[in-house]
Structure formats: structure tokens, C-alpha cells
Amino acid sequence: MSEPTGRRAPGAQAGPALQQGHPVHPGHGHIVLRFSDGTEHRLRGMTLVGRSPQAEPGEVITDLVSVVDPGRSVSKTHLLVGMDARGLFVQDRRSTNGTVVTLPDAQQILCGESQTVRVPAGATVSFGDLGFVADAVEQD
């Protein structure tokens, strides 16, 4: 597994929801977000990620994941990570430094504000100087 760098490659383009790659689905298990700092988080529902994430009024959020970011490259509430019938997705939450999905073939998608971007298997999600890879983990 490669480490996400949080840097954007020259020529990275914004785009619509992903059309290629197999979606990340838990099957009979669950999804684990493996962060570049070595931490892991089991995805249980709609999850906000940031330095000090907070839901907006009336928003139903399952988990808040706080990340350690001494360089403050990650916004307080940087992105939403969720799962629906089509698979894993992310949405940038008006962050300062953006969110980038890097596909297994190295193409990159810059996430527009509140744009739903699908995360296929093998993709890396970079936000600020951090990132994660999502893995489907089967039940034992």
C-alpha cells in the first residue's frame, strides 16, 4: 500500500463521480480507512474527518474522526466519507486545501465543494498533508 502524499500532481482535473474501477463494498464485512499516519478507523456510517470536525445543524453523522495535523493543512471539518448502495464516496466540506482522489491508474480527481466523488478499490484519498486508503475487510 502506498502512502498518500496530500500533494496534487500538475494537470489534475476536477471531474464528475467516478465511472471506472470497482466500488469499495464491505460484502459481509466492513470498511476500514487506513490513514497515512498509521491510524485506522472502521467506517460505520456517515463520517466527518478533520482537525476538529463538527456536523452542521440537522445533519445526521455517525462518527467524527479527528486527525493530528501540526502543520494545519487539514481543515477543522475537511471531508465527509460515506457509504451507500453504489459504494464508498467522499465529499469535500469547503476545505482550504482541498481533497483529491487518486485512482489506481494514477489519474486524479479534485473534489469540488460538496461534490460526491466515488472511491473505487485501490484509490487513495488525500486531504491536506494526510490521506487514507479504504479497504474492505471480511468478517472472521
Side-chain angles (χ1 to χ4, degrees):
M1 166 177 18
S2 63
E3 288 292 313
T5 64
R7 296 189 179 103
R8 293 183 186 99
Q13 300 175 5
L18 302 181
Q19 299 299 317
Q20 62 183 21
H22 300 288
V24 177
H25 279 290
H28 296 290
H30 56 272
I31 300 292
V32 173
L33 306 180
R34 300 183 195 282
F35 288 86
S36 56
D37 66 1
T39 60
E40 295 182 352
H41 175 76
R42 181 177 175 174
L43 190 67
R44 293 184 293 221
M46 297 300 187
T47 300
L48 292 175
V49 178
R51 287 185 291 111
S52 181
Q54 293 183 349
E56 294 177 0
E59 188 173 39
V60 178
I61 297 295
T62 308
D63 284 317
L64 302 173
V65 176
S66 296
V67 296
V68 176
D69 179 34
R72 297 177 63 90
S73 65
V74 175
S75 296
K76 285 184 180 180
T77 303
H78 199 106
L79 71 147
L80 170 74
V81 182
M83 188 78 172
D84 62 16
R86 293 180 53 204
L88 188 70
F89 66 88
V90 296
Q91 290 180 349
D92 187 90
R93 298 297 292 260
R94 298 175 300 280
S95 69
T96 302
N97 290 324
T99 302
V100 179
V101 175
T102 303
L103 304 175
D105 66 1
Q107 288 184 357
Q108 293 186 314
I109 298 176
L110 300 179
C111 302
E113 181 180 314
S114 299
Q115 173 190 16
T116 298
V117 176
R118 297 287 160 184
V119 180
T124 299
V125 177
S126 301
F127 55 102
D129 291 336
L130 301 177
F132 67 81
V133 174
D135 289 324
V137 178
E138 295 299 318
Q139 299 277 28
D140 292 333

